Amino acid sequence: GAGLIAGIGPFATTRLGAGHLGMTFALAVLPWALPALLRPADRPARTVAWALALGLAGPFGGTVALPVVACGLVGTRAWRARGPALRAALGVLVAQGPWLVPTVVVAAQGTDIASAGDFPTDLSGPGGALRLLAGHGFWRTPSQIGGAQGWEVAVAGLVLAGLAVVGWRRLPDAVRTPVALVAGVGLLGALASAVPGLDGVVEAVVDTPVGAAVREGQRLLALWVVVAAPAAAIGADALARRVGPGLRPVVTAVPLVLAVLGAGPALWGVGGALDPVDLPPAWSDVRAAVHHDPGTVLVLPWQSYPGLAVTDGRPVAQPLAVYLGGDVLASSDPGFGDGRRERSDDREGRAAAVAERLVAGEDVHDDLVALGVRWVVEVPLVGRRVDPSAPPPPGLRPVVVTSDISLHEVPGWAPARRVADGEPAEVDRPVAPLLRTDPDAVLVAAPGSGGWRRAGEASTSADGLLELPAGGRTAWYPGAVAVLLADLAAVVLAGVCLRRVRTTRAGGGSG
C-alpha cells in the first residue's frame, strides 16, 4: 500500500502525465535514499552517493535531495559532528553541479522566465487544502489526475495524514524529527504559493535564476508523499494490533485501499496522457534532410504548447525542438499572456514577428536570411492539414511537403556573414562551445551571447545573432569549461563515494 501510494498515487501519476519524467525518476530513487539522507552525517559517503543518484534527475531530483538533507542536518543536530556534516553538505552540493552550474551559466546571460505566481498550487474543489494531503494540487487543474473527484479525496487525505501521525510516533527517535521536518517542508512548500501573504514571499525567493528550479511549489509535495506513505502503513499496522481479529485485516489494508482510490483515475494511460503517438513517415524525411544539411530551423506554428493534429489536439510541449535537435527556433512563451520568453535567445522576438508575417503569406525571405534561418518546418494544428498542392511560401524552396508536415529551405542562407560587406563566411564547429570562422567581424547564424570570446567579448546583434569581433579565427565559450568541471567533479565524487562505501562494507564500519 505504501509503495502504491508513493509510486502510482495522484501526485506521481499527474507528474508522469505532464511529462515530468525527472520527477518520476526522483520518486523511484528517493524512498531508497531516505535512510541515508535523513541522517546525512552518519555515513557521508552513502549520503553523497544517493544525492548523486538524485542529481541525475536534474532539478527535479536536486530540489528534492537538498531540502531532505537540510532537514536531516537540522533534525539530527548534525552540526555537532562538524567534520562529517560539512563533508556531507559539500558533497551533496557538488553532486548537484551537473544541473546547477549550467543553470547559473545560462541565467548569467539573461532570461525572462515565468514567475512563481503563474504556477500557484490549486486548492480548489471540495476539501480545498485537504486535497494536498492526498497528493492533489497540481497548478494546471485539467492535468490533475483525479481532479474531478469530490470529497472522497479530502477524506482520503485526512485518513492518510492520521495514519501517518500514528506511524510517525512509532518511528525510532533518531529519525522522528527529520521525518517531521521533511513532511512539514513538503506541505508548507506546496501550500505557500496559494496562501495570500505567503505567495509574495515565495515569489521574492523563487523568482531568481537558481530559485526558479522550484518556482512551481507543488513539486515539493513529493517530500510529504514519500514519508507519509510508509508512515501511514506503519500506523495502520499499529492500529490493527489494537483491534479484534475480525477487523485486523481491514485496518491493515487501509493504505492499500487509499492507494487504489487514488490511482484509479490514472488507469488506462493516465487519463489519456500516455496514449502512444505514431509519427507519420514524412517526419523522419524532414529530420533526415535537416541532419544532412544542418542549419537554423524555424518552427511553425509559433506556439510553445500547440494542439497538433498528430496528437489529436492534446497540447504538448513543441516536440520538434527535441525531434530535430540542433539549432531550432521555436516559441518559449509559456502562454500566460505576459509576453515572457524563457529561452536565453534574443533572436526569438524577431523570429516571432517573422513567423506571423510568414503565416499571413508575406514574402519574408530576406528577413529569414538576415535571421540566419535555413529551414522552415510547419506541422498542422488539429483540424487542419497542409495542402501539398498549394504554392510554396514566397521565396522559399519546398523540400518535403505532405499533409502531415512540410519543410522549406531558405535560398541564400549562410552559416555566417561578414559584418563589413554582408558576404557569406564559412564556419567550422567541431564541438558546440568552439567554432572557427573568418578573422573579420562576422555574424554567425546562432543565438547571440556575450559569453563567447574571440579577441575580446562577443556581442549580440540587433536580430539576436552572435556577433564576433575581428581577431583570430577561433572563438570559444568559457561557460562550457565551468559546466565540464562540474561534471568532472561529480564523476570523481561518485568514484570516491563508491570506493568509500565498498571499503566500509568490507570493514563493517560506517562510511
Side-chain angles (χ1 to χ4, degrees), residues 257-283:
V257 173
L258 294 177
V260 172
L261 176 66
L267 298 178
W268 307 111
V270 189
L274 295 185
D275 288 344
V277 174
D278 294 322
L279 295 178
W283 278 57

Side-chain angles (χ1 to χ4, degrees), residues 32-49:
W32 308 99
L34 272 177
L37 300 185
L38 288 173
R39 297 189 60 81
D42 286 1
R43 297 177 292 179
R46 193 175 298 273
T47 298
V48 176

Side-chain angles (χ1 to χ4, degrees), residues 22-259:
M23 179 57 76
T24 301
F25 179 83
L27 281 172
V29 173
L30 190 55
W32 308 99
L34 272 177
L37 300 185
L38 288 173
R39 297 189 60 81
D42 286 1
R43 297 177 292 179
R46 193 175 298 273
T47 298
V48 176
W50 281 115
L52 283 161
L54 286 166
L56 294 176
F60 284 102
T63 53
V64 166
L66 291 172
V68 173
V69 171
C71 290
L73 291 172
V74 172
T76 60
R77 299 183 180 181
W79 63 80
R80 295 178 177 179
R82 295 181 181 178
L86 184 61
R87 289 198 300 272
L90 291 177
V92 169
L93 190 61
V94 172
Q96 309 313 309
W99 68 266
L100 189 57
V101 172
T103 299
V104 174
V105 170
V106 172
Q109 305 306 321
T111 55
D112 188 23
I113 61 174
S115 168
D118 294 320
F119 301 90
T121 299
D122 179 28
L123 303 183
S124 62
L130 295 178
R131 299 168 69 89
L132 284 180
L133 299 173
H136 282 233
F138 188 62
W139 69 274
R140 189 177 183 275
T141 306
S143 297
Q144 175 63 59
I145 298 300
Q149 292 176 309
W151 277 97
E152 64 266 32
V153 175
V155 172
L158 281 173
V159 173
L160 177 68
L163 291 176
V165 170
V166 174
W168 173 79
R169 294 174 63 87
R170 295 177 61 85
L171 293 176
D173 293 341
V175 296
R176 193 178 300 164
T177 299
V179 165
L181 289 175
V182 169
V185 169
L187 285 175
L188 182 61
L191 187 64
S193 63
V195 176
L198 287 180
D199 56 350
V201 176
V202 170
E203 289 187 38
V205 173
V206 173
D207 288 355
T208 59
V210 177
V214 286
R215 64 181 178 180
E216 186 239 314
Q218 199 259 354
R219 176 188 304 181
L220 293 175
L221 199 62
L223 303 180
W224 159 256
V225 172
V226 81
V227 297
I234 295 172
D237 179 68
L239 291 179
R241 297 173 185 274
R242 301 178 184 178
V243 299
L247 287 177
R248 189 168 299 161
V250 176
V251 176
T252 303
V254 168
L256 181 60
V257 173
L258 294 177

